[in-house]
Amino acid sequence: MESLALTFSSGWASGINAYLVVLVLGIVQRTTGAEEIPDVLGTWPVLAAAGAMFVIEFVADKVPYVDSTWDSISTVIRPTIGAVIGVLLAGEADSLSAAVGGVVGGTSALMSHLVKASERLAVNSSPEPVSNSVVSLAEDGLVLGVVWFATEHPLAAAGIAAVLLAAGLVLMYLLLRAVRGGWRKLTRRGRRGAPPPPPGPSDGTTKPYPVQ
């Protein structure tokens, strides 16, 4: 259960910032030798690669519209990393446990990624760029805190991640509903403001013939 809880928390966090998740888990494994974290995550090549990609995402994630482009590129990457972490956390367990870990990690990562992408589209509608940086820093802080906490208290961290995921899904639903409502209002206004069609045979009037 603790391994599955850590998988869920890591998957949720991977949907927001997968490279930071790998970096945090790797540092914890490297410094504490935690048995529940695979040794491969604490190797220097993995830490170096995760650190480099985290720096790139840290910058790209705070620039308006660039963050949404980055989210589009990461639609496959983040769930994949979440699934791989889930399989690795299953350790030497049987194939069923590894499959369950991959599904839990990948699914939770995909769901939180969709929440983040929708949220960023809404934030980008604001004219000032400060909100992007504030939201991005808050997300990084949540990922760092939840993953670090999950290495010590996986069940409690999984509960926090579940609450955050549920809240994010509700927020995504409300945003999509607001967007649909705004789009309908715009289309209705466009129809009302359209000029009437020119008179012709279709409106029941008689078209005069030119005088010879």
Side-chain angles (χ1 to χ4, degrees):
M1 288 299 297
E2 290 186 352
S3 175
L4 192 61
L6 179 58
T7 298
F8 179 80
S9 302
S10 300
W12 169 83
S14 296
I16 300 175
N17 195 325
Y19 307 113
L20 181 57
V21 174
V22 176
L23 193 61
V24 172
L25 291 178
I27 291 175
V28 171
Q29 201 287 324
R30 189 83 185 180
T31 56
T32 66
E35 296 181 356
E36 66 273 13
I37 302 176
D39 295 341
V40 66
L41 294 178
T43 58
W44 287 116
V46 172
L47 289 174
M53 293 304 300
F54 168 68
V55 171
I56 295 175
E57 177 157 335
F58 184 84
V59 176
D61 204 43
K62 294 169 179 58
V63 181
Y65 300 105
V66 175
D67 58 349
S68 294
T69 303
W70 186 264
D71 287 338
S72 299
I73 298 173
S74 301
T75 300
V76 177
I77 298 175
R78 288 170 182 162
T80 301
I81 293 178
V84 171
I85 292 176
V87 173
L88 291 175
L89 290 175
E92 299 298 329
D94 55 28
S95 58
L96 179 59
S97 297
V100 171
V103 170
V104 170
T107 302
S108 57
L110 177 60
M111 295 176 69
S112 61
H113 165 75
L114 294 176
V115 170
K116 175 178 179 175
S118 302
E119 168 199 306
R120 286 309 182 86
L121 288 174
V123 172
N124 283 331
S125 62
S126 61
E128 40 75 36
V130 178
S131 55
N132 294 75
S133 298
V134 172
V135 171
S136 180
L137 288 173
E139 291 172 347
D140 293 342
L142 281 175
V143 169
L144 178 61
V146 169
V147 176
W148 205 290
F149 185 63
T151 60
E152 296 291 338
H153 308 281
L155 294 177
I160 296 174
V163 171
L164 292 174
L165 179 58
L169 291 174
V170 172
L171 177 61
M172 183 178 69
Y173 170 76
L174 294 176
L175 289 174
L176 293 176
R177 189 174 180 180
V179 170
R180 289 182 60 186
W183 178 254
R184 289 177 180 177
K185 290 181 180 180
L186 288 176
T187 54
R188 289 175 183 175
R189 290 178 182 177
R191 292 175 182 176
R192 293 175 182 176
S202 60
D203 61 0
T205 59
T206 302
K207 183 177 181 179
Y209 291 94
V211 179
Q212 300 292 336

